[in-house]
Amino acid sequence: MKIAFIGHGYVGLVTAAVFADLGNSVWVVGRTKSKIDNLKKGIMPFFEPGLEEMVKRNTLSGRLKFTLNYQEAVSESKVIFICVGTPSKQNGEADLSAVFKSSEEIGRNLKNYALIVTKSTVPVGTNRQVAKVIKKIVAGKVPFDIASCPEFLREGSAISDTLNPDRIVIGFDSIKAKTILLDLHKPIDGERINTTIESAEMIKYASNALLANKISFANAMSFICDAVGADVEDVLNGVGLDKRLGRMFLYAGVGFGGSCFPKDVKALIAIAKSKKYDFDLLKAVNLINDDARKRFVEKVDRTLSGVKGKTLAVWGLAFKPNTDDMREAPSIDIIRLLQAKGAKIKAFDPVAVDNAAKVITDVTFTGSPAEAAAGAHAVLLLTEWNEFKQLDLREIKKVMKTPYLFDGRNIYDPAQVKSMGFVYKGVGRE
Ligand code: UDX
């Protein structure tokens, strides 16, 4: 099938590459010349495991093409996916300007019937507005349908998430739209949820908000476990084995970040407010998320009897492992709070240093965990990259000034680390 993707962020580029790999003929439309030129050369705009290889392979075969020109992509595509960003506005609402701008461009370049599908996370009613924008431009001359097909991929595992989704949500109001989308997704397994456009739009917000709830619940439990001397990992293991609850996304840490949860939780609060519902539960999710960062900093400060003038090694900067994405990364707030208290920061991240250097200042970036730890009063683990899990901590201890280890993701066994002579503080366990 001939398809086009507007936008080459995580959703647009990954989904385009996967659909090209499945044999479709795929256009990706962008608006920044340097990025499109790079993509044509196989240079990715971000790090995502397996993506570069998949993009290169499909570009070479001619199935995946990049352009700045809507006309060549839109005029020959049967399905056009809108995958542009919907960042938070100051008041928490989703900024839909990129969605509407691309809708206008689609409308202007539509020559034959096409199905226009929104993959961007958008508030209920947006797809209908997209239809209105396009309808006004095509003025009845070209038939089209709209549909909502929200994306649930996670950074770091985006390709396998796209190929093996738990579900494919299809929101439609015409049988033709439903048939085309079911046909396009045929090679991909996963439950199909066929529903209305409005419900499809809401499923995405509800899913992200509930996942964020689980994380904030785990973090709140870690605060209490710290206070009463319980081990939050044992507690959440005990909770998670209940099949009704599950252990996934119930890991305490320094809080959630990234391009989705913080933005989508705020947007759902704003959507609720616009309908006169005060979503207190979600407001608390955000407060706990901020608190997780602050409490971690306080714990470091308290344990070290003040961080002023001390050198702290930060391991992991990205908002999660296997990505170089620094958007809303807990490391940003944590480093700034520690710097405000007078700490000096040395940091290491396997891939996010370049992006981190754009958002945090006065940090010494190093080339390895040991280099960051050299001469430090404490190590603070903020992102659970695999390479930190099996490090020889005895060797690390030798190069440190004082042996304090603050495990912001609970990846180490406290007893084992303590037996090496470290003072160990996890999140909700010691
Ligand atoms: C999320 C959703 O999972 C995905 O379905 C949606 O399409 C986009 O948003 P992503 O932001 O890529 O994906 O990462 P995810 O793995 O969900 O993690 C988000 C944040 O939550 C990270 O900062 C992570 O460290 C944190 N997290 C996750 C926890 O603190 N504890 C957990 O148990 C799980």
Side-chain angles (χ1 to χ4, degrees):
M1 205 181 286
K2 290 188 172 178
I3 54 184
F5 286 81
I6 315 299
H8 46 64
Y10 283 91
V11 173
L13 188 54
V14 172
T15 324
V18 166
F19 276 113
D21 215 44
L22 292 171
N24 297 287
S25 174
V26 180
W27 277 108
V28 174
V29 186
R31 55 189 168 86
T32 315
K33 186 171 182 319
S34 57
K35 287 191 180 163
I36 290 295
D37 287 345
N38 278 343
L39 280 164
K40 284 179 183 168
K41 287 185 235 155
I43 303 169
M44 300 299 106
F46 48 81
F47 171 78
E48 178 63 36
L51 183 64
E52 185 176 324
E53 194 265 320
M54 189 180 260
V55 167
K56 279 184 176 161
R57 180 156 32 96
N58 286 283
T59 309
L60 211 64
S61 72
R63 282 195 300 268
L64 184 60
K65 291 179 282 185
F66 300 95
T67 183
L68 290 163
N69 185 349
Y70 272 80
Q71 201 218 323
E72 58 183 344
V74 168
S75 60
E76 63 176 54
S77 295
K78 185 170 177 187
V79 185
I80 301 159
F81 287 99
I82 298 177
C83 306
V84 295
T86 52
S88 290
K89 290 200 279 192
Q90 206 68 37
N91 63 0
E93 282 173 19
D95 179 349
L96 301 173
S97 51
V99 172
F100 295 131
K101 205 164 176 316
S102 38
S103 309
E104 282 169 20
E105 291 286 356
I106 292 168
R108 275 197 278 275
N109 292 288
L110 218 53
K111 297 280 175 284
N112 306 300
Y113 170 88
L115 170 63
I116 293 120
V117 187
T118 304
K119 266 207 173 290
S120 304
T121 303
V122 292
V124 175
T126 307
N127 274 273
R128 304 268 176 215
Q129 283 176 268
V130 165
K132 265 191 202 155
V133 170
I134 298 172
K135 205 168 174 183
K136 203 168 157 195
I137 297 170
V138 300
K141 290 191 194 103
V142 190
F144 71 94
D145 280 310
I146 55 159
S148 167
C149 190
E151 182 52 59
F152 300 95
L153 61 81
R154 290 163 299 174
E155 292 180 26
S157 53
I159 291 178
S160 69
D161 283 354
T162 308
L163 281 166
N164 309 290
D166 290 336
R167 76 296 207 194
I168 294 166
V169 175
I170 298 177
F172 59 91
D173 62 1
S174 88
I175 296 301
K176 190 169 181 181
K178 177 187 170 191
T179 310
I180 292 173
L181 281 177
L182 286 176
D183 195 28
L184 183 64
H185 286 91
K186 220 175 237 162
I188 301 176
D189 285 340
E191 244 359 273
R192 268 60 174 161
I193 308 288
N194 300 323
T195 183
T196 62
I197 289 172
E198 286 71 17
S199 301
E201 290 170 326
M202 194 52 118
I203 286 170
K204 175 67 196 246
Y205 280 113
S207 301
N208 276 355
L210 190 51
L211 289 166
N213 258 279
K214 284 190 87 173
I215 300 168
S216 277
F217 182 83
N219 285 331
M221 287 310 301
S222 81
F223 306 159
I224 303 170
C225 286
D226 266 338
V228 301
D231 182 323
V232 77
E233 292 301 324
D234 289 348
V235 172
L236 295 175
N237 276 338
V239 171
L241 281 170
D242 184 327
K243 288 192 187 66
R244 293 169 302 172
L245 299 167
R247 181 65 154 112
M248 288 177 87
F249 279 73
L250 204 54
Y251 287 87
V254 286
F256 57 78
S259 64
C260 290
F261 287 171
K263 160 178 88 72
D264 294 349
V265 169
K266 278 188 212 144
L268 190 48
I269 294 171
I271 292 167
K273 191 176 168 200
S274 75
K275 298 295 170 197
K276 310 244 173 318
Y277 175 61
D278 208 1
F279 213 146
D280 283 333
L281 180 65
L282 285 187
K283 287 183 187 166
V285 164
N286 273 342
L287 289 177
I288 294 167
N289 198 42
D290 289 341
D291 215 16
R293 292 147 159 83
K294 289 182 195 143
R295 283 174 183 259
F296 185 76
V297 169
E298 280 158 20
K299 186 183 284 182
V300 175
D301 195 44
R302 202 171 48 243
T303 310
L304 296 178
S305 305
V307 295
K308 194 164 191 253
K310 296 197 169 128
T311 302
L312 307 176
V314 169
W315 285 358
L317 295 163
F319 84 96
K320 62 181 272 189
N322 297 323
T323 180
D324 61 354
D325 198 339
M326 285 295 294
R327 283 176 289 178
E328 309 272 345
S331 66
I332 301 173
D333 291 332
I334 290 172
I335 288 174
R336 285 187 187 148
L337 288 169
L338 290 165
Q339 286 174 328
K341 289 181 183 293
K344 289 187 210 116
I345 308 292
K346 288 172 81 185
F348 169 74
D349 187 283
V351 300
V353 165
D354 287 349
N355 285 341
K358 294 177 197 156
V359 284
I360 43 181
T361 51
D362 296 325
V363 170
T364 306
F365 294 106
T366 63
S368 71
E371 209 186 308
H377 293 84
V379 164
L380 281 54
L381 183 139
L382 301 186
T383 315
E384 68 279 31
W385 284 93
N386 268 342
E387 71 177 81
F388 300 142
K389 291 181 180 161
Q390 302 236 303
L391 272 180
D392 188 344
L393 291 177
R394 281 197 179 82
E395 290 301 313
I396 297 291
K397 184 173 161 260
K398 282 185 198 157
V399 300
M400 292 176 70
K401 198 159 211 166
T402 51
Y404 286 88
L405 178 52
F406 296 91
D407 182 359
R409 298 289 180 179
N410 288 349
I411 66 168
Y412 296 117
D413 173 0
Q416 204 181 6
V417 176
K418 282 184 206 165
S419 74
M420 297 175 195
F422 277 97
V423 176
Y424 175 87
K425 302 273 176 194
V427 173
R429 67 170 184 172
E430 296 200 343

